[in-house]
Structure formats: structure tokens, C-alpha cells
Amino acid sequence: MATLNVSIFVTAGCSTLLSGDPATLLTGRTVEFELLPFSFSEMRELFSQRGWAWPDDNRMFLSYLRWGGLPGRFFCGSDAEAQRYLSNIFMGIVRRNVTGISGSAGGKDFREIPKRIMAGIAVKNPSVIAAEISAAPDGVSRRTVYNYLGRMKNACLIRSAGRYDIARRSCSLSCYKERLYAADTGFISANAGNQDPDYEFLLKNAVFSELISRGFSVFTGKTRSGEVDFAAVRDGRKCLIQVAYLLDSEESIRREFGAYSRITDASPRYVMSLDRFDLSHDGIVHLNIIDFLLGKRDLFLT
């Protein structure tokens, strides 16, 4: 096979087939690339190409925010059907790549751990998630939770953002300080049960995924007195981003723009929200999240 002029495509679910000797034979002859769920702009393009009607961008965006961009969910006729579809996809990946087929041992159902992690991912910090799950009556050790977090990352169910110290211009990839995001926001909704979705976190997750799809390395920005949601780096250039649902009060405006108050870094600084009015001031650019996701603004053109 090594002497034939052929191309072999191996998906993540079959990657174990290339362990051992086959992997050695292919060393230096492989290129790894990542296929991501549809972005919001790709969702709009799909609907346009198929002639599917949709009331407006805002309602389409709320659907995208809650149920994500996995292609199969666009063919679901209702929210309940979308939730079943996404839950089946999620649990299929969990059984194959995280817990094993049985998913249980010693009377414990370890398939519940990935579900709880995904449902509680809005707290973002791995140590908090581990503490909450281990403290439950049917909980497991923190070490076990961290083990499953690692498996979920390897299975492309979750992503992590390390910390970038803005003042020192250095990054840390400590698993205890990183922030967690779902590979697709639909997985969060599918595991949330009857809980109301945390739309502000879903927004941050959507922005995080969009930055990844545009080729950015994404970190949480550490400041002297707090943090900025994202420090996004690409081609040696960096921008800083705060994400909020709505800037509907003086307090929320001060909080989001005030995150930059002690930052002397000259990188472009943004506050993103769903507001349609422009509150840009003091060199901080206010962007509408939907416009950003539709590619209407280059982050390095302030």
C-alpha cells in the first residue's frame, strides 16, 4: 500500500486503526485537518441554497445558538426531534470514545459523567465541575472526572482555552486554570434537560467556535484584576474580546467595557453583544455578534 499512488482518509472514530505499525509506515505522509460543525454563515448559506424559508436572521440565530451546527439537526422538524438527534450523537461518541460500550462498572453508570460535564459546562472551570460532580451523592472522585474530561477532549466533544497573561504576554495551559467550551452548542442543550439555557454562555461558546474556525488560537485573557473573555491570536497578531448578551443597563456597560480599564496593551479591543446600537468608545469597538459571525467585520481592522 505504501508504494501505491492513493489517498487514505481516516475519520476520528476510526483513528485507532492507525496505531502501531501502520502509523509508522505513514509517518511524514499524513496531513491532519479538522472538520467543524457548520458556522452560522454556513447555516444561512445552506438554507439559501435549499430554498428553506426562515423569518429573519435573529430567529435563525437563536435556533443556531441553541441547537448548534451539526448538519443532521437542520433536517429535524422540531426542537424535541433536534434534542433527540443531538443526544443520540453525543451518547454514541461517549460509548465509542469515552466510557466504552457498557459504560458501567461497580454499580455506577459512567455515561452520566460526560452528560453532567456537558450540562454544567457553563461554569467553565474544570476544578469547579470536578468538585460539583464528586460532591454529588452518586459522585465519583475528582481524578475520575479529570480523566473523563481528557477523554472528552480527545473525542472532540469539548475544547479548552488556556490562560494568556496580557501584561506578561505569556500563556499557561494548566488544566486547572483553563476554560471549557463545547465543540457544538447543541450538545449543551441536548444534555441540559428542562433547564433554561444559559444564553450568555452559549453566545461565548459560539464566538469561541467562530474564532477557532477562522484559524485563531484562543485563550482567556488574564488581567491584573480579572480577566477578558478571549485573547485571540493569529499570524502573530492578537485581539481582545468581551462577550455579553445585552448591554441593557449602565452597570452592564461599565462591567463589559471596564474589563479593559487597566490594560495598556495596544491590541484591538472589542465588546460583542446582540445590541444593534453602537456603544464604541475610548478605543474599544462595540460589535453586534450576528454581524461578527456573518463575517461583516475583520477583527484586525479597527
Side-chain angles (χ1 to χ4, degrees):
M1 179 67 75
T3 62
L4 299 180
N5 184 24
V6 298
S7 298
I8 302 173
F9 292 85
V10 182
T11 64
C14 302
S15 59
T16 54
L17 295 175
L18 289 184
S19 60
D21 291 340
T24 303
L25 292 173
L26 291 173
T27 299
R29 306 178 189 182
T30 60
V31 176
E32 182 178 330
F33 57 93
E34 187 174 11
L35 293 178
L36 301 172
F38 278 20
S39 66
F40 181 54
S41 61
E42 289 169 337
M43 175 183 175
R44 287 178 81 246
E45 183 179 350
L46 171 68
F47 274 63
S48 176
Q49 288 181 354
R50 290 185 169 267
W52 293 344
W54 199 267
D56 55 59
D57 274 349
N58 289 331
R59 292 183 63 181
M60 179 184 281
F61 175 68
L62 288 176
S63 173
Y64 174 78
L65 197 63
R66 186 164 189 183
W67 301 116
L70 289 181
R73 81 92 174 161
F74 299 123
F75 298 89
C76 296
S78 65
D79 285 356
E81 190 176 341
Q83 185 168 17
R84 282 196 303 272
Y85 165 77
L86 290 164
S87 181
N88 288 338
I89 293 291
F90 180 81
M91 291 310 300
I93 297 172
V94 166
R95 287 192 295 268
R96 185 172 63 246
N97 299 103
V98 181
T99 66
I101 298 300
S102 68
S104 61
K108 289 186 179 293
D109 185 355
F110 287 98
R111 291 170 298 188
E112 287 297 311
I113 299 175
K115 292 172 65 176
R116 292 183 186 181
I117 289 173
M118 191 61 69
I121 200 171
V123 301
K124 298 187 291 184
N125 191 307
S127 60
V128 175
I129 292 176
E132 289 183 350
I133 294 177
S134 62
D138 58 346
V140 295
S141 69
R142 296 192 184 195
R143 181 176 180 179
T144 299
V145 178
Y146 281 116
N147 181 22
Y148 276 75
L149 281 167
R151 295 184 189 184
M152 291 175 71
K153 288 182 189 177
N154 291 337
C156 299
L157 287 172
I158 58 175
R159 289 180 173 276
S160 60
R163 290 172 68 83
Y164 184 93
D165 190 315
I166 297 172
R168 297 180 180 180
R169 299 184 181 181
S170 62
C171 62
S172 168
L173 299 178
S174 168
C175 65
Y176 298 100
K177 296 181 180 180
E178 65 190 8
R179 292 288 185 260
L180 299 176
Y181 297 92
D184 186 82
T185 54
F187 287 147
I188 301 175
S189 299
N191 287 283
N194 295 323
Q195 300 178 39
D196 291 332
D198 184 337
Y199 280 108
E200 182 144 330
F201 179 73
L202 292 179
L203 282 171
K204 293 180 181 181
N205 207 129
V207 171
F208 175 84
S209 297
E210 181 70 20
L211 291 168
I212 294 293
S213 73
R214 296 188 189 185
F216 285 90
S217 297
V218 187
F219 305 88
T220 300
K222 179 183 177 299
T223 67
R224 289 185 177 88
S225 57
E227 64 181 33
V228 175
D229 287 327
F230 302 118
V233 182
R234 187 180 67 191
D235 299 331
R237 304 177 69 186
K238 178 175 82 276
C239 61
L240 306 175
I241 301 169
Q242 275 287 100
V243 179
Y245 185 64
L246 290 172
L247 302 177
D248 53 0
S249 67
E250 287 297 325
E251 179 184 358
S252 63
I253 295 171
R254 284 195 301 270
R255 181 181 66 248
E256 302 303 331
F257 283 85
Y260 296 113
S261 61
R262 299 185 64 185
I263 296 177
T264 57
D265 190 296
S267 301
R269 294 173 289 172
Y270 295 93
V271 171
M272 297 185 185
S273 73
L274 290 178
D275 300 288
R276 278 295 175 186
F277 45 81
D278 189 351
L279 291 172
S280 302
H281 64 272
D282 297 333
I284 303 170
V285 179
H286 180 210
L287 285 183
N288 177 268
I289 292 175
I290 296 177
D291 287 346
F292 165 68
L293 295 179
L294 293 178
K296 295 182 179 180
R297 183 62 179 264
D298 187 324
L299 293 180
F300 292 127
L301 294 177
T302 57

